[in-house]
Amino acid sequence: MGLSTRIAILLLPFCLLAFLATHTESVAVMSVDLGSEWVKVAIVKPGVPMEIVLNKESRRKTPLAVTLKDNERLFGDSAVGMAAKNPKVTFRYFQDLLGKRAENPQVEAFKNRFPEYNIVADEQRGTVLFKLSEELSYSPEELLAMMLNYSRSLAEEFAEQPVKDIVITVPAFFNQAERRAVLQAAQLAGLKVLQLINDNTAVALNYGVFRRKDINSTAQTIMFYDMGSRSTTCTIVTYQTTKTKDSGTQPQLQVLGVGFDRTLGGLEIDLRLRDRLAVLFNEQKKSKKDVRENPRAMVKLLKEANRVKTILSANNDHMAQIEGLMDDIDFKTKMTRQELEDLCADLFNRVSAPVQKALRSAELTLDQIDQVIIVGGATRVPKVQDLLLKAVGKEELSKNINADEAAAMGAVYQAAALSKAFKVKPFVVRDAAFYPIQVEFTRELQEENNVKSIKHNKRVLFQRLAPYPQRKVITFNRYTDDFDFNINYGDLSFLDPEELKIFGSLNLTTVKLSGVGESFQKKSDYESKGIKAHFNMDESGILSLDRVEAVFETAVEEKPEIESTLTKLGNTISSLFGGGSSTAENKENATDTVQEEEEVPTEATKEYDQEQPEPASDEKDSDSATKEEGKKQEEKTEGEKVETKDTKDQDEPAKEGDAAKTPEEEPKKPVPPKKQKLVDEIGAAQTVNDIPDLPEEQMKTSAKKLQELSERDFEKHEREKAANSLEAFVFETQDKLEQKEYRKVSTEEQREEISNKLSQASSWLEDEGYTATTKELKDKLSELKKLCKALFFKVEERRKWPDRLTALDSLLNHSSIFLKSARMIPQDDQIFTDVELSTLEKLINDSWTWKNETLAEQAKLSSTDKPVLLSKDIEQKLGALDREVQYLLNKAKFSKPKPKPKPKSNTTKLENGANTTETDEKVIPPAKEGTEEPPSDPEPAKEPPVPEEKILEIAGSESDSTTQETPDENQKTEL
């Protein structure tokens, strides 16, 4: 038997003893799909790609509801259940109030729909507050922050780690004020928002990610029709591959058109049906009171209306019934699908309007739409599908996407793409800004006869449906002193009059510049290149003013230098490697971006390169001479498109007439003088004109208030947990005292003492437990556990004995085999020293002796005595023996066989002496009859004699043999 074979046999018995532990630190990201009625939470973490988070009721979506009652705060289904009892403190559908002033028509409509809420104006910001008492009120941002924090707690419980990074979906028609309100709510919740993504864009991303292979260079145009609980949005998206600088050819989605209806959704149908049921109840004249004046009854009717609407989607009629609707009077009536359709006829007539608006904004026709996909819960209404099918003129509507979860799944994919902890396949997203934004400013002009006039100028910053994220720059060329300008929405004539009223203020920000005149005075010798205002629309669709700069230039005289021959040669060689033109000044000039800075430059964005705002010159309508002067000034402005275009013209081939000219004949052009650019930072004070952000002090106050609520909820949770643990321990221990294995190791007196203590704790919990503090509950539980510790210890030890002893016997047996095999290795091949083998032999013998002596001592004890055979001691013996064997095994695994000397007796030399052939073969003849057979493999070592008294009782009946080769339950298999 060779050495390698012998070593393999030695390793075999211990292959099940190896354990490889790996620990991977991970960071999870989450998404929240903020619907009007439901919240869907999704998460990505290592090993769990794109999964919907289940709530505490094991549901995949959670009602967006918050209850604030005294010292109790409830969320989701628990809050909805509390709405019938306390409708005034259960808040739902409050997203309609985000970014709205108190006088907004949508606020008035909200008050009419939900009269149970006490809504007052916020005197500081002009928005609204939910007033609970004279001292306590909450803003919509604070309520949304509570819901986001609750969503994070669900995600953290699912991920088993902290989660902070988040992507939140918002409706595509949210304006700047509404988007900022969502960001402020997330800030109050302590979340880091990676992006606010439009819900229709998230749905389109989810659709494209799972159909990546079907996307090619041919554009596919798809319409997504989303009717949710509160609104309806129609989006037209194209899919095709595009080339990117970093990742090569990748799929891309681009939003082409959007149409919406803010108030068309399932909630409006529920409200119509609720009001109809209220009228029917009043007509039954079972009560003298009007049910519409009872907030609790109206909440019950709204819940029943939602249920009936859902059932009528699949049935022609159904019974609406509520027990004890008001004054203990039951209500029951029959509703048909036709009645519901008649009740909502005007709503159904509005189904096709978002389709037409989306087509007009995208400048497409229905023939150019390849597919129509429906999303959202309200699209399940049969009448909606029938009308939509007629509106789009298709044979069928596609339903090959999860109508409830598509937005959450698309958003969480985007979260993983934006996070640094994950690497996903790139998918380019080109979203569109729904509302145009422009810059407006005025200038005083002096005309003939010293008549002064004021001219109002407008410059479009972002056109309607312009792609973002994107950077833009506006240049003011005619100002030499401090001035101000306004950032406003552009032409919103595409909105309906009602939508325009809900939209709110058209003025975004007023910017007052300071330091312009001072900068011009200091740089009077320099040529002005204008005042440049840098704007950025980020991934969330939020517009911001990054900075304002005054740019100047001046000519720099170059001193001629007499160059030596070596210097000229060095410069020539340097220019060959591209070093001749890389001066610091040229680099500085090349970095100035004049009009448009693209965040994500792709092939698909080239068509937008011409959509740059013109330089903010106010001389557009002046005489021709002034126009020509302004044109020259613009051409001089550094980095503008004019210069870029001229540079391209220089690369064109020479004309035929110029082909015959030699370099000597061409006139030498004068070298333009070198210019130096200087930039001064200009102060810009911004005043928000639509909805003011929460002031810093109010942000701190709100954050503190929410933190106190979270701490109160945590304390309440801990107290309930302590009370439940104490109650469970009492009942479980009382049951254990009657079990055979517990009675076997305890006396009657011990069980009686424990039983009395448990009864006292149970009585105390019923009488005083409701008012007890968390510390008192934990102390009571600790006292009981200390009393039962000895009993539980004896039972637990006896449960561990069979497996631990079996594992020790198995390891001792294999170690003995290993030792005998190691001693039989020939001296020439021996890799172990005598000290190593003697150490192992001593350890084996000591382990056998300890085991036998301990078992004998344990057998003499009564079952109620404290055991001397402890599982931790057995594990210690197992660990020591395993370490010693593993050391020898590793040495055998990595040892190299010793080279054997070449025997001379079997060497054959050829006559010419050139070649020599050596053989080292040994022929072993077969054994003859009567001769002694070669020694066989060693047998396992036999266990020394062990006292047999009560051994079976100690080991238990769970193991049939103490030498069974069963690995320890704590030992794992290497994967």
Side-chain angles (χ1 to χ4, degrees), residues 5 37 83 93 109 126 147 179 306 375 404 435 479 486 531 538 580 605 645 721 770 860 931 951:
T5 305
E37 186 175 1
Y93 307 107
M147 200 67 207
R179 292 175 186 269
N306 180 271
V375 189
D404 287 330
Y435 305 110
Y479 286 95
N486 296 312
I531 308 298
D538 60 17
T605 63
K645 187 175 181 179
K721 183 179 178 181
Y770 295 103
K860 298 177 182 179
T931 61
I951 295 302

Side-chain angles (χ1 to χ4, degrees), residues 194-209:
L194 301 177
Q195 181 181 349
L196 295 181
I197 186 171
N198 293 335
D199 48 12
N200 54 355
T201 306
V203 170
L205 177 59
N206 177 249
Y207 180 84
V209 164

Side-chain angles (χ1 to χ4, degrees), residues 464-482:
R464 182 188 175 194
L465 297 178
Y468 69 86
Q470 193 174 169
R471 297 178 184 271
K472 291 289 185 70
V473 178
I474 289 286
T475 303
F476 301 93
N477 290 322
R478 302 301 182 186
Y479 286 95
T480 58
D481 205 348
D482 296 351

Side-chain angles (χ1 to χ4, degrees), residues 562-574:
I562 302 176
E563 295 181 330
S564 64
T565 304
L566 292 177
T567 304
K568 292 181 179 179
L569 180 61
N571 292 338
T572 304
I573 297 175
S574 175

